[in-house]
Amino acid sequence: MKKTATRLADGRELIYYDARDDAVRDAVDQRPLDPIATRSEIRHDRLLGDRVAIASHRQARTYHPPADECPLCPSREGRHSEIPASDYDVVVFENRFPSLAGDSGRCEVVCFTSDHDASFADLDAEQAALVLEAWTDRTAELAQHPAVEQVFCFENRGKEIGVTLGHPHGQIYGYPFVTPRTQLMLRSLGEHREATGRNLFDDVVADELADGRRVVLDGEHWVAFVPHAAHWPYEVHLYPKRRVPDLPALDEAARTEFPQMYLELLKRFDRIFGEGEPPTPYISAWHQAPYRLTDRGEFALHLELFTIRRTSGKLKFLAGSESGMNVFINDVPPEAAAERLREVASK
């Protein structure tokens, strides 16, 4: 992998990740952009104990542009985009409309491919491995950011999720705090260690492998399963079999196997609801250990992949119980979801 860092016209950082060592990335951003000015504020909810990002400048962000005006495509034929080069492998750059900025953290965009009409599932294993390298590199870099306590790499896919740009891309958030969901995991992790003397993540993975009913894919270095208490109609958790706290800690064997496992999962997600259905909307989310834990090694890196579609043409809405009380009601039994995902193996 070759990494080339540059700056956009408004001062934001942009990084090219290339599979070839001889790639030259010297294109200059020719847009007449003013220096970026964002006002992100983190507010504390005294009742719930969590935090909310206030970012009013995001109201002006690009919203469903036509394909020939996509800001994530390469700059070609006189049209200038967020990526100055006329082609690219993988690109990461600072978000022009970030939810978090400055002392409130950092937000980055990850473009998985220059092909506007592709999706992550369309990538070959080499390209998916390059994306993994980019996620890993940015996780390590953001660990050095003075305002960042936790790094979150994720992809929102589909208009139903709220995606406003159709180009295949994800995001990376560097939070200036430990997120509420991670706090809950850490609490359960500590309680389990105190009660049993064992690691909760290790026990969850071992129990799913022993049960077998919810396992979707079982590789040499990774396992994917529908969790026992899945919140979403179709939800899969992907764990490396050797517990590590974050992406930089993965060994070479796990890195090598990951693209095949992950691409297979994404292809199966697109087959859940049958032929002729539109692409399955999903959220794909990496969970990594916060940086200031006393024992980061207790946390287990894992990826959670889920869709808000519960059946053909119907979405799972977060209504009263889910939104008002954070109590999920799942219409699809996890065992049935796992069976369906095993049935739709890619061809």
Side-chain angles (χ1 to χ4, degrees):
M1 179 194 75
K2 181 179 180 181
K3 175 183 175 182
T4 307
T6 185
R7 292 280 173 179
L8 296 173
D10 55 10
R12 288 175 294 133
E13 186 177 21
L14 180 144
I15 305 166
Y16 295 97
Y17 293 90
D18 287 290
R20 292 172 43 194
D21 290 336
D22 60 351
V24 177
R25 299 300 184 186
D26 55 6
V28 176
D29 185 3
Q30 301 181 32
R31 297 172 297 172
L33 299 179
D34 294 327
I36 196 72
T38 59
R39 294 181 179 177
S40 179
E41 177 188 358
I42 303 297
R43 295 189 180 181
H44 178 246
D45 185 321
R46 291 188 294 171
L47 290 181
L48 299 180
D50 59 11
R51 294 169 176 83
V52 177
I54 309 297
S56 59
H57 60 274
R58 285 175 51 79
Q59 289 280 33
R61 66 188 184 273
T62 309
Y63 187 80
H64 294 304
D68 60 357
E69 296 179 16
C70 174
L72 305 185
C73 286
S75 294
R76 293 173 180 166
E77 300 175 355
R79 190 187 74 82
H80 303 298
S81 71
E82 289 280 66
I83 296 94
S86 60
D87 199 5
Y88 63 84
D89 288 347
V90 175
V91 168
V92 177
F93 61 88
E94 288 184 76
N95 198 324
R96 191 176 179 186
F97 304 99
S99 304
L100 309 166
D103 293 339
S104 297
R106 177 159 163 140
C107 292
E108 300 179 342
V109 177
V110 185
C111 298
F112 303 139
T113 172
S114 61
D115 185 352
H116 179 86
D117 297 318
S119 69
F120 202 118
D122 297 323
L123 305 182
D124 60 25
E126 182 181 12
Q127 185 74 4
L130 188 59
V131 175
L132 177 62
E133 288 297 320
W135 284 330
T136 302
D137 182 72
R138 296 314 302 154
T139 295
E141 287 286 328
L142 290 174
Q144 308 304 315
H145 193 295
V148 173
E149 288 198 29
Q150 184 176 359
V151 175
F152 178 44
C153 306
F154 65 100
E155 180 191 1
N156 298 328
R157 192 253 202 141
K159 291 182 179 180
E160 300 93 332
I161 298 293
V163 174
T164 58
L165 297 176
H167 195 104
H169 73 287
Q171 299 183 66
I172 303 175
Y173 278 18
Y175 291 107
F177 52 81
V178 178
T179 62
R181 187 172 176 84
T182 304
Q183 291 278 22
L184 290 174
M185 290 186 200
L186 293 174
R187 186 183 71 185
S188 298
L189 182 65
E191 291 173 349
H192 189 79
R193 173 65 74 182
E194 183 175 352
T196 69
R198 299 191 302 272
N199 181 276
L200 175 59
F201 291 108
D202 291 351
D203 282 0
V204 166
V205 171
D207 289 347
E208 291 295 349
L209 283 168
D211 184 292
R213 290 176 299 164
R214 290 176 296 276
V215 173
V216 177
L217 293 174
D218 186 8
E220 184 177 356
H221 303 285
W222 295 82
V223 60
F225 55 86
V226 178
H228 173 74
H231 288 58
W232 299 94
Y234 291 92
E235 174 182 344
V236 175
H237 294 188
L238 178 63
Y239 278 79
K241 290 185 175 179
R242 183 180 72 85
R243 172 166 39 96
V244 295
D246 54 26
L247 289 166
L250 286 173
D251 61 24
E252 194 59 35
R255 292 183 184 282
T256 299
E257 188 179 71
F258 170 78
Q260 291 84 3
M261 294 283 287
Y262 186 49
L263 291 172
E264 177 66 21
L265 281 179
L266 293 181
K267 290 171 183 176
R268 292 190 187 202
F269 256 59
D270 274 343
R271 290 185 167 91
I272 293 172
F273 305 105
E275 298 294 332
E277 287 290 320
T280 300
Y282 64 73
I283 292 175
S284 176
W286 281 108
H287 291 267
Q288 306 192 78
Y291 295 124
R292 293 169 180 82
L293 291 181
T294 303
D295 187 359
R296 294 184 74 244
E298 284 286 293
F299 194 88
L301 168 76
H302 62 284
L303 182 143
E304 296 184 7
L305 174 68
F306 62 89
T307 179
I308 63 171
R309 187 178 291 164
R310 58 187 174 85
T311 190
S312 180
K314 297 178 181 179
L315 301 180
K316 164 65 177 175
F317 291 103
L318 300 190
S321 185
E322 292 88 355
S323 295
M325 285 295 172
N326 200 29
V327 177
F328 275 68
I329 301 169
N330 189 353
D331 299 330
V332 181
E335 293 75 18
E339 183 177 5
R340 178 59 180 159
L341 285 163
R342 289 193 295 267
E343 290 174 350
V344 293
S346 65
K347 303 172 183 176

